[in-house]
C-alpha cells in the first residue's frame, strides 16, 4: 500500500458511502462508558444485548432533525437501516482517528442510563483535530448536523 493509499484508508468516508467496520459486541457495555473517560459507577446498560465480533458493512447517514433516539430508530428503519450499537464507537475512532469536520456521529443501536437518570447514547464529536468519545441525552433533539452509523436491516 502506498503512503497515499494509507492516508486515504484513515479518512472518514463520505455520507452514504458503504465501508467495512469491525465491531466487537463482546465488549462489556461499561467499557464503552469508561472509554469516554467516565467512571462506570452508577451507569446502567439498557441494551439491547449483542454478542460476538463481526465486520459490518456500514455507512454514515443523516436522518434530518429527530426529536429523540426512538424517532431516529424509527426513521432509520423506514429507510431500511438499523442503528449501529455504541460498542462500535471506539473501533470507528481507531480506524478514522481524525474528524472530517462534517458533524458528530451517533451510535444509536444501544443505550445507557446516566447516574443522574437520563438515558444516553454513545457518540463521537470533534475537539480540534481529534475525536472525543461522549454520550448524548437520548431524549434530546438531534439536528441535521448529526450523522448516524447504520447497517442494513
Amino acid at each position: 500500500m502506498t503512503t497515499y493509499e494509507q492516508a486515504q484508508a484513515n479518512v472518514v468516508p463520505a455520507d452514504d458511502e458503504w465501508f467495512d467496520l469491525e465491531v466487537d459486541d463482546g465488549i462489556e457495555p461499561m467499557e464503552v462508558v469508561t472509554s469516554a473517560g467516565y467512571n462506570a459507577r452508577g451507569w446502567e446498560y439498557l441494551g439491547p444485548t449483542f454478542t460476538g465480533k463481526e465486520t459490518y458493512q456500514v455507512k454514515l447517514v443523516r436522518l434530518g432533525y429527530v426529536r429523540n433516539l426512538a424517532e431516529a430508530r424509527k426513521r432509520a428503519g423506514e429507510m431500511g437501516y438499523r442503528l449501529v450499537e455504541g460498542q462500535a464507537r471506539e473501533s470507528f475512532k481507531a480506524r478514522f482517528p481524525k474528524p472530517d469536520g462534517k458533524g458528530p456521529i451517533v451510535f444509536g443501536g444501544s443505550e445507557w442510563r446516566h447516574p443522574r437518570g437520563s438515558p444516553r447514547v454513545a457518540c463521537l464529536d470533534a475537539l480540534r483535530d481529534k475525536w472525543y468519545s461522549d454520550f448524548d441525552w437520548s431524549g434530546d433533539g438531534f439536528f441535521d448536523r448529526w450523522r448516524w452509523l447504520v447497517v442494513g436491516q
Side-chain angles (χ1 to χ4, degrees):
M1 184 180 284
T2 68
T3 304
Y4 175 77
E5 289 170 327
Q6 288 173 332
Q8 291 301 314
N10 291 330
V11 173
V12 175
D15 292 0
D16 295 311
E17 182 180 308
W18 291 103
F19 61 96
D20 291 337
L21 183 68
E22 187 176 278
V23 179
D24 184 357
D25 285 317
I27 293 173
E28 166 62 36
M30 289 306 116
E31 286 183 43
V32 179
V33 172
T34 58
S35 69
Y38 292 95
N39 180 331
R41 186 174 180 202
W43 284 78
E44 176 188 359
Y45 184 61
L46 302 177
T49 302
F50 293 95
T51 59
K53 188 181 279 191
E54 188 173 343
T55 299
Y56 292 142
Q57 275 277 307
V58 297
K59 67 179 176 177
L60 295 167
V61 298
R62 293 183 190 269
L63 300 176
Y65 175 77
V66 291
R67 291 178 303 206
N68 53 43
L69 181 59
E71 187 174 308
R73 287 178 176 161
K74 181 178 183 234
R75 187 161 308 158
E78 290 167 352
M79 297 168 69
Y81 305 130
R82 176 180 67 78
L83 302 179
V84 175
E85 50 278 11
Q87 286 82 340
R89 182 183 63 200
E90 296 308 310
S91 58
F92 182 96
K93 185 176 163 182
R95 173 133 184 237
F96 306 109
K98 293 205 180 271
D100 57 2
K102 296 179 182 174
I105 299 170
V106 184
F107 301 81
S110 50
E111 199 170 20
W112 288 257
R113 184 172 315 286
H114 187 274
R116 292 190 189 125
S118 60
R120 302 289 175 115
V121 63
C123 60
L124 284 175
D125 207 346
L127 180 62
R128 295 181 196 85
D129 65 344
K130 292 184 180 182
W131 289 113
Y132 74 91
S133 300
D134 205 2
F135 288 87
D136 202 56
W137 180 38
S138 300
D140 198 8
F142 294 90
F143 291 91
D144 292 343
R145 72 185 193 100
W146 291 91
R147 295 175 290 171
W148 301 79
L149 189 70
V150 299
V151 63
Q153 291 182 335

